[in-house]
Amino acid sequence: MLDLNFVRDNLSLVEEKLRQRGMKPAEVLKDFSQVDAQRRQAITSAETMKAHRNRASEEIAKLKKSGQDASALIAETKQLRENIQELEKAADEYDSRLQQMLVGIPNLLHHSVPLGKSEEDNVEVRRWGTPPRFDFAPKSHWEIGENLGVLDLERAAKLSGARFAVYWDLGARLERALANFMLDLHTSKHGYTEVLPPYLVNSDSMYGTGQLPKFASDSFRVPHGEKDLWLIPTAEVPVTNLYRDEVLDAARLPISLTAYTACFRSEAGSYGKDVRGIIRQHQFQKVELVKFTRPEDSYEQLERLTGDAEEVLQKLGLHYRVMALSAADVSFSSAKTYDLEVWLPGQQLFREISSCSNFESFQARRANIRYRTEGKNKSEFVHTLNGSALAVGRTWVAIVENYQQADGSVVIPEVLRPYMGVERLTPSKK
């Protein structure tokens, strides 16, 4: 969320940043300036009346002390008190309306974000490796998985419906091996601390990272007593909110955390997209990276976090490219995002496997996460960052498609063999 004073003092900049996102400022900001002016006027009038009431109260005391009639002033102060209450109520209502407007304003884009009208305007920053060459027509992961008996979409549909998957035997072991490999790399080499958070969070946590109220329809809500709980759409939500309403010691920054969790998304609005295979699921697993940094360090940390995610792909020998998302494609809460897109030969396209974002103080202001430097009384909002490193299911897809063999087996990348105990995926014995 943006700061009220900042929006008020930089309204033209906010309007321009909204236009860069392809949004109409009038639809987002609505009557912000008018409501803000009415709120300030109500507060000013109430303060003026309070001063008048205080002077009248002093005069009443003097009149009573001298034995004079103070009834007129008493009646006046009673009316002032009622007027003040009405003004304060109006100010609260105006403030509530302003907060609702602020919640609907997306983060301001960093100056380095490419301008554009759609994802077609995303800019390639770099690419790594080369696509594998086959002397046969490469198959898609759903064909390979079904033929090997390691991926079962039919039984998943029986259990839960569309957009769910069951992994069997070596297919399940590959998912587990990938998660363990990623966590070991990030904790032992990249300096992240592993955390295992709850998969159900409260509404405050969803609000803190920007999922609520705007994206409620994209999430699974679970009624729980008098309050709702939500299945996490990503580990970013619980891990970022670990420090909600806390003031961190500046000496601890940056804080780097990693978590492996299941993720749950309703995929509202994605009807008809990626209906085959396991690219777009209601439940999937992901290793997430989250950072809390000083503002002046956050863009350097964004590059480091992106590099940490890239190293997973490099060690797996997967061809990928890094894309700087254009203004129209950057998410609501992000100021700048890089997408890592891995090559899938079975589908002959690059597919997003990670998004690495700097939210600056946008989430920290919503979640009230601050830091204080020793010797200073005033605290400041931290900058938060996160990135997938990686989406495990999509990495599973990439390995199956990139390492497929003519006989239908799949070679296991060398770095995963200690976790797998085998060198190939072969037909399941289930």
Side-chain angles (χ1 to χ4, degrees):
M1 189 167 66
L2 301 180
D3 177 66
L4 173 61
N5 293 327
F6 178 88
V7 176
R8 176 191 299 135
D9 296 340
N10 300 273
L11 200 56
S12 295
L13 173 63
V14 174
E15 291 174 343
E16 175 58 27
K17 292 295 185 180
L18 289 172
R19 282 190 285 268
Q20 289 179 2
R21 284 181 175 269
M23 307 173 81
K24 296 180 179 179
E27 294 180 358
V28 178
L29 297 172
K30 302 175 184 177
D31 52 350
F32 174 87
S33 295
Q34 178 182 345
V35 175
D36 185 39
Q38 290 171 325
R39 171 182 171 274
R40 286 192 287 175
Q41 180 59 50
I43 293 172
T44 300
S45 297
E47 292 301 319
T48 301
M49 288 186 182
K50 286 179 182 178
H52 189 180
R53 182 194 61 189
N54 292 340
R55 290 194 297 269
S57 297
E58 292 175 358
E59 186 62 26
I60 289 170
K62 290 179 182 179
L63 290 173
K64 287 184 175 180
K65 187 174 182 180
S66 62
Q68 299 181 60
D69 182 19
S71 58
L73 274 178
I74 291 173
E76 181 181 351
T77 56
K78 181 181 178 181
Q79 185 61 52
L80 283 170
R81 182 168 60 252
E82 293 175 355
N83 292 344
I84 290 168
Q85 290 174 346
E86 291 179 1
L87 286 167
E88 289 179 336
K89 181 180 178 182
D92 288 342
E93 291 175 352
Y94 290 136
D95 185 66
S96 178
R97 288 175 60 185
L98 284 175
Q99 292 303 314
Q100 290 176 3
M101 293 180 201
L102 288 172
V103 165
I105 301 174
N107 203 353
L108 299 188
L109 298 171
H110 190 257
H111 64 81
S112 64
V113 171
L115 299 180
K117 296 181 179 180
S118 73
E119 63 181 20
E120 300 299 321
D121 298 307
N122 295 346
V123 175
E124 183 174 325
V125 178
R126 58 184 172 272
R127 63 174 60 194
W128 185 91
T130 56
R133 294 182 178 181
F134 301 96
D135 54 8
F136 59 93
K139 292 183 172 64
S140 60
H141 67 277
W142 58 84
E143 295 176 280
I144 301 167
E146 182 179 357
N147 291 339
L148 290 175
V150 298
L151 180 65
D152 195 335
L153 301 178
E154 184 177 345
R155 284 188 174 90
K158 179 174 66 174
L159 297 176
S160 308
R163 298 192 188 278
F164 289 92
V166 170
Y167 300 89
W168 289 94
D169 196 23
L170 293 178
R173 195 188 305 181
L174 177 58
E175 174 93 6
R176 175 161 52 93
L178 282 166
N180 286 334
F181 162 66
M182 293 174 192
L183 289 171
D184 286 348
L185 177 65
H186 297 314
T187 55
S188 64
K189 183 176 180 181
H190 298 152
Y192 292 81
T193 298
E194 184 177 353
V195 58
L196 179 60
Y199 292 1
L200 283 165
V201 295
N202 55 31
S203 295
D204 287 341
S205 296
M206 293 285 282
Y207 175 85
T209 46
Q211 276 73 27
L212 292 183
K214 187 174 178 64
F215 302 106
S217 63
D218 292 325
S219 302
F220 287 105
R221 179 175 61 88
V222 181
H224 182 68
E226 296 181 357
K227 294 184 178 181
D228 293 332
L229 291 176
W230 302 80
L231 285 167
I232 59 170
T234 166
E236 165 199 347
V237 178
V239 175
T240 301
N241 279 277
L242 286 171
Y243 295 115
R244 188 174 73 240
D245 295 325
E246 294 187 29
V247 179
L248 304 173
D249 182 355
R252 294 181 60 193
L253 302 178
I255 296 172
S256 300
L257 304 177
T258 185
Y260 169 64
T261 68
C263 306
F264 305 87
R265 297 183 185 178
S266 70
E267 294 295 348
S270 66
Y271 181 79
K273 296 180 181 178
D274 302 315
V275 294
R276 303 198 67 181
I278 58 172
I279 289 295
R280 197 179 296 273
Q281 299 279 280
H282 289 313
Q283 176 189 320
F284 59 97
Q285 288 65 244
K286 189 151 62 79
V287 172
E288 195 76 4
L289 306 178
V290 176
K291 285 179 177 281
F292 303 83
T293 78
R294 298 170 184 258
E296 62 269 24
D297 298 332
S298 66
Y299 279 95
E300 176 188 350
Q301 289 296 324
L302 175 61
E303 300 299 325
R304 292 187 61 177
L305 184 148
T306 305
D308 294 339
E310 287 183 70
E311 188 170 354
V312 178
L313 290 168
Q314 292 170 9
K315 286 188 175 297
L316 292 172
L318 296 171
H319 176 49
Y320 70 91
R321 65 184 183 181
V322 180
M323 305 294 289
L325 297 195
S326 69
D329 204 26
V330 174
S331 71
F332 176 84
S333 299
S334 176
K336 183 176 182 177
T337 297
Y338 292 117
D339 270 7
L340 307 187
E341 297 181 347
V342 68
W343 176 251
L344 300 181
Q347 301 167 58
Q348 289 294 296
L349 50 72
F350 282 102
R351 178 71 75 169
E352 176 206 332
I353 198 167
S354 171
S355 283
C356 300
S357 300
N358 186 354
F359 303 101
E360 297 188 356
S361 61
F362 191 84
Q363 291 181 332
R365 183 171 281 105
R366 295 171 73 108
N368 191 29
I369 307 171
R370 297 173 175 267
Y371 75 99
R372 181 182 290 113
T373 303
E374 185 177 359
K376 292 187 177 181
N377 293 326
K378 186 178 179 181
S379 62
E380 300 178 52
F381 289 109
V382 300
H383 279 194
T384 62
L385 302 89
N386 84 269
S388 305
L390 300 164
V392 180
R394 292 192 177 190
T395 311
W396 191 99
V397 168
I399 287 172
V400 168
E401 292 198 7
N402 280 273
Y403 285 95
Q404 62 181 294
Q405 304 297 303
D407 64 359
S409 66
V410 175
V411 172
I412 301 298
E414 286 190 17
V415 293
L416 291 180
R417 291 176 188 176
Y419 297 90
M420 290 289 295
V422 297
E423 296 184 0
R424 286 176 182 255
L425 296 184
T426 53
S428 171
K429 298 178 182 178
K430 73 174 192 296

